[in-house]
Amino acid sequence: MSDLTGRTALVTGATAGIGRAVAERLSAAGADVLVHGRDAGRGAELVAAITARGGRARFAAADLTDAADVDRLATAAGDVDILVNNAGIYELAPTPATTAADFDRHLAVNTRAPFQLVAALAPAMVKRGGGTIVNISSTAAGLVAPIGAAYGASKAALETLTRYWATEFGPAGLRVNGIAAGPVRTRGTEPMLAAVGDAINQVTARGRIGDPAEIADVVLFLAGPTSTYVNGTVIAVHGGERSLLPG
Ligand SMILES: NC(=O)c1ccc[n+]([C@@H]2O[C@H](COP(=O)([O-])OP(=O)(O)OC[C@H]3O[C@@H](n4cnc5c(N)ncnc54)[C@H](OP(=O)(O)O)[C@@H]3O)[C@@H](O)[C@H]2O)c1
C-alpha cells in the first residue's frame, strides 16, 4: 500500500478525466494535491470534493500553451515531491489538415510544459534527496495510425524526455517514469467514443476501453514507495491494445 502522507503532488490537467482520477487517488493515499487546469469551476469542485473527504488540495490555473503561465504555475507549486505531467491535448487530424499552429499547440501542452515544469521543480527535489515524476503518454507514441501524427510525435518526445530525465536526475534520487495509456473514457474522449461506438472496444484485448481510475492506480504505484527500483520506464496501460494497422 502506497502511503503518501506528508508528500505534496502537482497534477496537471486535474480538472477532468485521467488527471482528476490521479488527483483523487494521490489524495486518498495521503498526499496534499495541487490541482491544475484552466477551468476554475471544475478545479474548485474537485478541491471541495477532496476536502470533504478529509484530504488537502488547492487549485492553480495556468494555460500550458503560454510558457510564462507555466513558469507561474511552477512558482505557485513551490516544493513538490510528486509531479504528474498529465495535461494533454489530442486533436487527431490528418497531416494536411494540421496547421503549424496546431502542431505548436500539441508540442507546447504535451511536451514543452512538462519540460518547463521538470526544469523548474526537479532541482528542489534533488536538494531534498528525492522525488518522483510521472509523465502521461499514449500508445499513440509507439503505434501508428493514419491520423494524429502531431499528437503521436508530441508523446514520443515526452517518452524520450522521460528516459533522459531518469538518467539526468536518477543519481540524485529522483525517479522519472511514464505511462503509455490506451483508450480511456474521459471528458476529452467522450465525443470521439460516441462517434465510433462499440468498434472502439475491439481495439483492446479486454474488449472495452479503460476507466481513468485504472490509469490512476498505476500513477500511484509509480509515484509511491512500492516502485523504488523503477526508473526510466514507460509502462503500457492499455488492456492489451492491438495495432490499428491491418495484420
Ligand atoms: N483518454 C484517453 O483515451 C487517453 C489515452 C492516452 C493518453 N491520454 C493522455 O492522458 C492525458 C489526459 O487525457 P484525458 O483524456 O483525461 O483529457 P481530458 O479529459 O480532455 O482533460 C484534459 C485536461 O488537461 C487540461 N488541459 C488541456 N489543455 C490545457 C491547456 N492548454 N492548459 C492547461 N490545461 C490544459 C484540461 O484542463 P481544463 O479542462 O481545465 O481546460 C483538463 O484538465 C493527456 O495527456 C492525454 O494525451 C489519454
Side-chain angles (χ1 to χ4, degrees):
M1 173 64 192
S2 286
D3 182 1
L4 301 181
T5 305
R7 304 290 164 131
T8 301
L10 166 58
V11 182
T12 68
T15 46
I18 292 169
R20 179 178 171 123
V22 169
E24 290 183 314
R25 203 49 116 241
L26 298 184
S27 165
D32 290 5
V33 181
L34 179 55
V35 169
H36 157 266
R38 288 174 300 188
D39 190 302
R42 278 187 273 115
E45 191 268 316
L46 176 57
V47 167
I50 288 174
T51 308
R53 288 195 291 267
R56 287 163 56 97
R58 64 190 172 99
F59 173 70
D63 183 346
L64 302 187
T65 62
D66 179 345
D69 228 12
V70 180
D71 287 340
R72 281 190 285 274
L73 173 63
T75 302
D79 287 353
V80 301
D81 304 293
I82 298 163
L83 167 63
V84 182
N85 283 309
N86 163 79
I89 54 168
Y90 34 81
E91 295 160 13
L92 305 183
T95 295
T98 302
T99 65
D102 296 334
F103 186 86
D104 285 351
R105 198 165 51 253
H106 279 83
L107 267 289
V109 177
N110 298 351
T111 317
R112 188 185 67 195
F115 191 92
Q116 285 181 260
L117 290 174
V118 169
L121 300 177
M125 292 181 180
V126 168
K127 270 194 191 140
R128 293 199 307 285
T132 52
I133 297 169
V134 182
N135 298 318
I136 306 300
S137 182
S138 165
T139 51
L143 296 177
V144 291
I147 56 168
Y151 174 62
S154 72
K155 291 298 191 181
L158 183 62
E159 293 191 5
T160 297
L161 289 171
T162 301
R163 290 185 283 273
Y164 266 85
W165 291 329
T167 306
E168 187 174 349
F169 300 113
L174 272 61
R175 292 187 300 108
V176 187
N177 293 290
I179 291 173
V184 175
R185 189 176 299 280
T186 66
R187 180 183 177 86
T189 57
E190 196 63 62
M192 219 184 306
L193 298 176
V196 290
D198 284 346
I200 190 73
N201 291 327
Q202 303 313 313
V203 168
T204 71
R206 301 291 295 166
R208 64 175 176 81
I209 59 167
D211 185 86
E214 294 178 290
I215 306 298
D217 282 336
V218 184
V219 173
L220 176 60
F221 166 68
L222 290 174
T226 55
S227 60
T228 46
Y229 205 47
V230 182
N231 189 36
T233 293
V234 178
I235 298 182
V237 185
H238 54 38
E241 187 171 330
R242 303 175 171 121
S243 170
L244 295 175
L245 284 176

